[in-house]
Amino acid sequence: MPDRAALLLALLCLAAPAIAGEDAVGPADARRLEHLVLQDCGSCHGLTRKGGLGSPLTPEALAGQDRDLIATVILDGVPNTAMPPWRPLMTEAEAYWIADYLLKDVKK
Amino acid sequence: MTRLAAFLMCSVLAAPGLAQELRATGDMGVVVERATGSVLIVDQSDHAALARVEGFGDLSHASLVFSPDERFAYVFGRDGGLTKLDLLTQKIVGRVVQAGNSIGGAISDDGKLVAVANYEPGGVNIFDADTLEQVAAIPAGGKALGLEDAPGRRFVFSVWDTGETRIVDMSGAEPKVTTLTNIGAEPYDALITDDGRTYIAGLFGEDGLSAIDLWAETPTARRILPHYGRGQQEMPVYKMPHLEGWAKAGDQIVLPAIHHHEVLWIDARTLEETGRTQTHGQPVFAMARPGGRQVWVNFAHPDNDTVQVIDSMTHQIVGEMVPGPAVLHMEFTARGTEAWVSVRDENKVVIYDTTTLKPIGEIAAESPSGIFFTARAHRMGL
């Protein structure tokens, strides 16, 4: 029995960083992600996120959308459109960070 | 005697002043600074920036064309801005915001008309190159792109949403529009070869490209390289490739593939495949050095710190450089001796000797993207 408790504890510890979610994104990562959104999402969504080949990503355009949905779109893309899946290049925590960043009125 | 001496001295002193006022534009160029809405006017011979000019609006995905006298640049901004820049006075001499969201433009073969392709609202607007007064609006029913100039005062563009290409003949009093339907699924960009004959649109929605022979009595679209990626796994595209009029390499045309990490070679006349080269990443620009002996390729995120050089006869990679994070564009000097490479995230333009493939100079620039040299004024489709 004590073995099981220990195992559970160990599992919990392992899981902790994942549960922490966006807390896993530190200030240096935040700067990198902000740059990514501006420049690399910007190549399709525009530097000001007013859209291009990709749809606008301004807080107004995304208003009412759920952060889970946005994070899922970022991670898995939109099939049969030009929106690529970013899962190979970022963690879930990073996708959630970007979703929150897009939903909040950061610029102007 | 003293008067003559004084006069002589004066003219000697005055001479440099005069020489400074006279300056030719043939070795000048413009570097787009995408994040700050500014451009650098550069001197190719001196490897130097001459001036920074501000006030161009949103320059993400900006491009430009030159007037036939190589004095003016027409800068196309993402925000629909069309701005006319005087390279000599280093000032903006005209600006209109003609749409909500634009993707590029072209200048007519006679230099009299400037056309802009728009995402929002779709279609192409055409302006007087002198005054920037609008002379025509060509609706498209979708996102217009791949806008090129063609001989005979024509413009050609494609429509992402509908898979159409339109040929706009501006030689008469009214625009004459010919629409080719079903050229392929989701054209994303296009080029016209430097003889003004072949318009090639890249397709996002299918493996393959679409070619139109503009010399034909009745131009029709023909699929080329259909299903070129068959059997291979499709890879995500983090940045759309670009097609530009630097595609002719000897008797071949070189094209970036999409969804696959390779460049494609076709025979310039038959448009049949002549080979493929596996590359470091998803190619963005595949540009033939003037003369066509080699092709330089840069790549989409996350492989965008690298440039590869491919021999156009053997299709082998003969050089690989790592200029730095986010290589966005390359431009050759008119005879191909140097290549200037913009490195966005290190705020610099690196100048390479195209023979040794070694860097020979550098210019500081804010988030540089497109580099454009004035020699483009005299080439079709640029």
Side-chain angles (χ1 to χ4, degrees):
Chain A
M1 272 308 133
D3 287 12
R4 272 197 47 202
L7 189 68
L8 196 73
L9 230 143
L11 270 175
L12 267 171
C13 289
L14 281 175
I19 290 169
E22 55 196 307
D23 296 342
V25 175
D29 292 322
R31 262 193 309 278
R32 179 175 52 79
L33 292 176
E34 196 167 2
H35 185 80
L36 179 87
V37 170
L38 183 73
Q39 302 289 1
D40 296 303
C41 310
S43 69
C44 287
H45 293 281
L47 269 183
T48 53
R49 287 188 252 132
K50 287 192 196 134
L53 195 57
S55 39
L57 293 182
T58 52
E60 302 82 66
L62 296 176
Q65 287 205 39
D66 172 277
R67 70 190 278 267
D68 288 324
L69 183 72
I70 295 176
T72 308
V73 165
I74 296 171
L75 287 166
D76 298 326
V78 183
N80 302 315
T81 76
M83 174 63 189
W86 291 79
R87 198 182 283 284
L89 304 181
M90 66 175 69
T91 64
E92 295 203 356
E94 289 175 328
Y96 272 98
W97 187 93
I98 293 176
D100 292 337
Y101 177 84
L102 293 176
L103 283 168
K104 128 180 125 206
D105 196 9
V106 274
K107 291 193 96 185
K108 276 151 230 167
Chain B
M1 198 53 176
T2 37
R3 272 188 57 196
L4 181 62
F7 175 74
L8 266 171
M9 251 182 78
C10 277
S11 32
V12 169
L13 283 175
L18 191 66
Q20 249 167 28
E21 277 161 36
L22 288 176
R23 117 130 262 176
T25 55
D27 68 346
M28 290 173 83
V30 177
V31 176
V32 172
E33 298 184 310
R34 72 196 292 269
T36 43
S38 51
V39 305
L40 287 183
I41 299 176
V42 296
D43 184 312
Q44 294 168 38
S45 315
D46 293 347
H47 290 180
L50 301 174
R52 167 172 290 126
V53 186
E54 293 175 330
F56 292 85
D58 180 354
L59 290 186
S60 55
H61 210 293
S63 62
L64 54 92
V65 296
F66 292 101
S67 62
D69 61 5
E70 297 188 2
R71 174 165 181 178
F72 299 101
Y74 299 90
V75 182
F76 309 105
R78 166 70 92 184
D79 56 2
L82 163 60
T83 313
K84 184 174 177 181
L85 169 70
D86 185 335
L87 296 184
L88 292 179
T89 63
Q90 305 170 346
K91 290 203 163 56
I92 289 174
V93 292
R95 177 168 162 82
V96 289
V97 177
Q98 51 85 45
N101 198 323
S102 311
I103 193 65
I107 187 163
S108 59
D109 53 0
D110 61 359
K112 300 269 197 280
L113 300 170
V114 174
V116 193
N118 295 314
Y119 277 171
E120 223 14 88
V124 167
N125 289 336
I126 302 178
F127 299 84
D128 181 299
D130 250 358
T131 61
L132 300 191
E133 244 166 80
Q134 186 163 345
V135 298
I138 316 294
K143 294 186 169 89
L145 41 73
L147 172 61
E148 305 293 335
D149 58 281
R153 223 180 191 223
R154 287 179 299 170
F155 293 107
V156 187
F157 69 94
S158 298
V159 188
W160 165 272
D161 318 61
T162 61
E164 290 174 352
T165 295
R166 297 193 179 186
I167 304 172
V168 184
D169 185 337
M170 295 295 293
S171 61
E174 291 293 317
K176 225 170 67 207
V177 183
T178 310
T179 300
L180 309 184
T181 55
N182 191 22
I183 69 141
E186 293 172 327
Y188 62 85
D189 197 11
L191 63 84
I192 204 160
T193 49
D194 59 3
D195 51 12
R197 175 166 185 175
T198 313
Y199 179 88
I200 298 178
L203 303 175
F204 182 82
E206 60 187 88
D207 274 355
L209 299 97
S210 192
I212 296 167
D213 181 355
L214 295 171
W215 287 6
E217 192 62 33
T218 315
T220 50
R222 157 185 164 198
R223 292 294 203 291
I224 55 174
L225 294 166
H227 320 299
Y228 62 70
R230 187 166 23 206
Q232 296 174 43
Q233 200 201 331
E234 285 208 348
M235 306 211 214
V237 178
Y238 294 105
K239 185 180 164 77
M240 288 290 177
H242 284 247
L243 301 178
E244 254 202 291
W246 301 106
K248 199 94 165 295
D251 311 326
Q252 301 168 90
I253 295 172
V254 61
L255 300 160
I258 190 160
H259 294 298
H260 304 290
H261 295 182
E262 57 189 14
V263 300
L264 311 165
W265 304 82
I266 58 174
D267 183 283
R269 278 286 72 86
T270 65
L271 308 183
E272 299 294 340
E273 178 173 339
T274 56
R276 294 174 194 203
T277 305
Q278 298 302 312
T279 52
H280 172 70
Q282 163 73 60
V284 174
F285 285 101
M287 299 171 76
R289 170 182 170 184
R293 187 68 180 79
Q294 291 101 18
V295 168
W296 288 46
V297 187
N298 73 330
F299 304 99
H301 180 85
D303 301 314
N304 57 2
D305 60 348
T306 299
V307 169
Q308 287 183 317
V309 180
I310 309 175
D311 183 302
S312 54
M313 292 207 301
T314 64
H315 300 166
Q316 298 294 312
I317 290 166
V318 291
E320 181 170 315
M321 293 86 87
V322 183
V327 172
L328 292 196
H329 194 220
M330 306 167 287
E331 179 84 335
F332 293 100
T333 49
R335 297 223 209 161
T337 52
E338 293 176 359
W340 291 36
V341 175
S342 55
V343 187
R344 185 193 67 204
D345 291 353
E346 273 176 6
N347 298 310
K348 64 183 183 186
V349 171
V350 183
I351 302 164
Y352 283 92
D353 179 315
T354 50
T355 307
T356 64
L357 305 185
K358 295 269 183 290
I360 50 170
E362 210 175 285
I363 291 177
E366 280 293 318
S367 292
S369 57
I371 306 172
F372 302 87
F373 290 158
T374 48
R376 285 172 173 252
H378 306 296
R379 295 205 18 174
M380 292 189 222
L382 285 178

